[in-house]
Structures are given as C-alpha cells and as structure tokens.
Amino acid sequence: MKIGIDAGGTLTKIVIEKEGERSYQSRLTTELDDIAVWLNQQDCDCIHLTGGNSKELAKRLNCETVSFVEFDAAHKGLEILLKEQDIKLDTYIFTNVGTGTSIHLANTHEQKRVGGIGTGGGMIQGLGYLLTHIKDYQKLTDLAQQGDRECIDLKVKHIYKNSKPPISGELTAANFGHVLHNLDCDFSDADKLASMVGVVGESITTVSIHNAREFKTEDVVYIGSSFYNNPLLREVIENYTRLRGFNPHYVENGAYSGALGSIYLS
Ligand code: ADP
C-alpha cells in the first residue's frame, strides 16, 4: 500500500494506492491528531508527505516518512492526472486554487512557480463569513450558487448604455461597483456570496492569463479544493478565461495532485 498526503493550510488530502486501485479523501487540517491516529493503524512502511503542515503530521506518525516540496508534488500528480484524463498539453500554466492561489509555468518535465494571489478558497470562507455569518463550507457554497450578481457588479455594458463598448460588454468593469446604483435592490446573502465568488474567480483568472500571455501559452489548468461544491467558481473562471481568449482546463481530482504526486517522487 502506498500513501501520499498533502497537509495543506485548510485541508489534508490523502491518496492511497493499493493493488492497482486508487482512493482519494480529504479531512480538515485542524483534525491532524485524528488523521495521525488513523494513519498509524494503516499497514504502510513509508508515508510520502507534502504541504505546509507535513512536518506537523510527520511528528505524529510512527512509521518512516519522506517529504517533498509541494509545487513539485503538485506538478508530478497533475501530469499523471492529465495523462489519465487524456488532456494533452505541452507548455501550460497551472493555477492551484487552495487556501491561497499559486500559479506555475509547466511542461511535461518541470514546473516553475511564476506567481500567486491571496484571493482563493480562504477568502471565500473568510469574507463569506464576514458577509453572512455562515461558517459551514457546504452551506456557504450552496447559498452562493443561488445568488444573482446583476445588482452588485458593474459590467462594461452598464456603463456603455446606448453605445457599443470598445471591449466586451460582458466584462466586469467594477466588482461590487453596481451597488450604489441599485440601492432599491434587496441584496440577499446569496447575491453577496455570488459576487464575492465572482471577484475571487475573476482576479485568479486575470493573474493566470497574464502569466499565460507572458510565457506564450494559451492553456491554463485549474486545480485545488476550492472548486468543491462550487460550480459557480468554476463557471466564472472558465467563462472569463475563454472570454479573454485562453483555454481553461479543469482536471478531475486535481485537488489531489500534490498528494498523488508525492507518492511518485523519490
Ligand atoms: P490547502 O492545501 O491550502 O488546504 P486546498 O486546495 O485543499 O488548499 O483548498 C482549500 C479550500 O478548499 C478552502 O479554503 C475552501 O475554500 C475549500 N474547501 C473545500 N471543501 C472544504 C471543506 N469541507 N471544508 C473547508 N474548506 C473546504
């Protein structure tokens, strides 16, 4: 049995490969003690670790461990998943939307971290709580899917009311910039959350495609647990990436790239 673990800022991702079968699971990193108790009962000689909390986890484990840099592990695992999912890319940007967002230039052999931005899953949870007082991730993201951004976000077409804009009217001109024009709207929690997911997704897309342009590729691969139960985030990012002329790719189980890749690094 092979175990690879990515102990991240919010979630600990666990990949187990046994007799040709692979399983994926994730737990809150705040439950690291319980995770260690469970791991200490598994039949494994050496556990492969990555992520910011890997040292904390290693301290609690009885078996041998080996740790890897999370960016290399994510790249290794992503390459495996791309191949399995028949997504053929040469040079590409991959954007890992975790608690924060990390951006990498990659090809089949190597990766280089080329940027990052503090908008990501942590902001969705934290600003989401400040806006609605909802702590539960499932409830928060369920509600965000029902929101309408129309009264909150100012689009280019709202500014160019009766004339043709020089850029797509569908682009957001100002996130939250429509609020004061619409004070008679009732701004529901769902609407606020949808707009917040919008600004997170659009800022991530902007920095990702600027990197894609700089490094002369049209392909951007998005991974990370922030897409769990949040099809709205995926939709915002995919649509905006396409609108700007680039190709978005979403990889199934991409959130487990680091944990999977750690198994195959040596
Ligand atoms: P990290 O490695 O930094 O923990 P992840 O890729 O695991 O990053 O993504 C963490 C983000 O995933 C959180 O900030 C949150 O937005 C989202 N998330 C998905 N599922 C959950 C969950 N069950 N509980 C908390 N956050 C979750």
Side-chain angles (χ1 to χ4, degrees):
M1 173 157 80
K2 292 178 186 159
I3 304 182
I5 300 184
D6 175 4
T10 306
L11 296 177
T12 293
K13 282 74 65 184
I14 305 169
V15 173
I16 299 182
E17 289 191 340
K18 194 178 172 186
E19 291 156 11
E21 298 276 307
R22 185 187 298 153
S23 71
Y24 303 95
Q25 53 180 299
S26 67
R27 305 267 304 262
L28 289 171
T29 298
T30 48
E31 296 169 3
L32 213 57
D33 287 335
D34 294 342
I35 296 169
V37 168
W38 177 78
L39 285 169
N40 284 331
Q41 294 162 359
Q42 306 307 307
D43 175 25
C44 183
D45 301 334
C46 177
I47 295 182
H48 288 216
L49 300 174
T50 190
N53 278 292
S54 54
K55 270 217 172 93
E56 283 302 310
L57 181 56
K59 279 199 288 197
R60 293 163 169 79
L61 296 177
N62 300 332
C63 67
E64 195 188 316
T65 61
V66 52
S67 295
F68 301 97
V69 176
E70 61 181 296
F71 306 145
D72 294 328
H75 174 245
K76 184 80 180 172
L78 178 56
E79 276 293 321
I80 294 169
L81 293 172
L82 285 170
K83 202 168 280 169
E84 288 175 357
Q85 291 169 37
D86 210 20
I87 303 174
K88 293 190 182 74
L89 300 174
D90 182 13
T91 298
Y92 60 94
I93 292 291
F94 78 88
T95 297
N96 193 349
V97 190
T99 308
T101 297
S102 190
I103 300 171
H104 307 257
L105 173 67
N107 58 29
T108 45
H109 306 296
E110 55 186 1
Q111 69 76 33
K112 182 177 156 211
R113 189 177 187 278
V114 289
I117 183 164
T119 56
M123 180 166 164
I124 290 176
Q125 291 188 281
L127 185 53
Y129 174 78
L130 291 177
L131 291 171
T132 65
H133 288 102
I134 298 172
K135 271 194 233 161
D136 182 81
Y137 178 79
Q138 192 81 20
K139 272 193 198 144
L140 187 79
T141 42
D142 279 348
L143 191 58
Q145 312 308 306
Q146 297 160 27
D148 184 344
R149 300 172 60 187
E150 182 62 26
C151 285
I152 296 183
D153 290 322
L154 187 73
K155 288 189 172 182
V156 170
K157 70 178 181 194
H158 294 135
I159 301 177
Y160 283 79
K161 276 190 201 86
N162 293 315
S163 53
K164 193 176 174 311
I167 51 175
S168 167
E170 286 308 311
L171 285 167
T172 305
N175 296 86
F176 290 87
H178 218 189
V179 171
L180 296 186
H181 304 166
N182 287 304
L183 289 177
D184 53 339
C185 277
D186 119 66
F187 302 107
S188 70
D189 280 354
D191 297 344
K192 292 180 206 168
L193 290 176
S195 291
M196 186 265 292
V197 169
V199 73
V200 169
E202 288 167 12
S203 54
I204 288 169
T205 307
T206 300
V207 285
S208 300
I209 62 179
H210 284 187
N211 275 291
R213 194 154 51 200
E214 182 177 346
F215 294 105
K216 300 184 173 38
T217 173
E218 290 177 347
D219 296 295
V220 186
V221 180
Y222 295 99
I223 60 172
S225 312
S226 302
F227 295 101
Y228 282 151
N229 200 46
N230 200 347
L232 177 62
L233 180 67
R234 183 172 164 184
E235 187 189 308
V236 166
I237 287 180
E238 289 186 343
N239 288 348
Y240 194 38
T241 304
R242 271 193 211 103
L243 191 68
R244 298 289 302 269
F246 293 80
N247 308 320
H249 302 272
Y250 178 81
V251 178
E252 285 309 317
N253 293 313
Y256 293 93
S257 297
L260 173 63
S262 74
I263 294 180
Y264 288 91
L265 288 175
S266 52

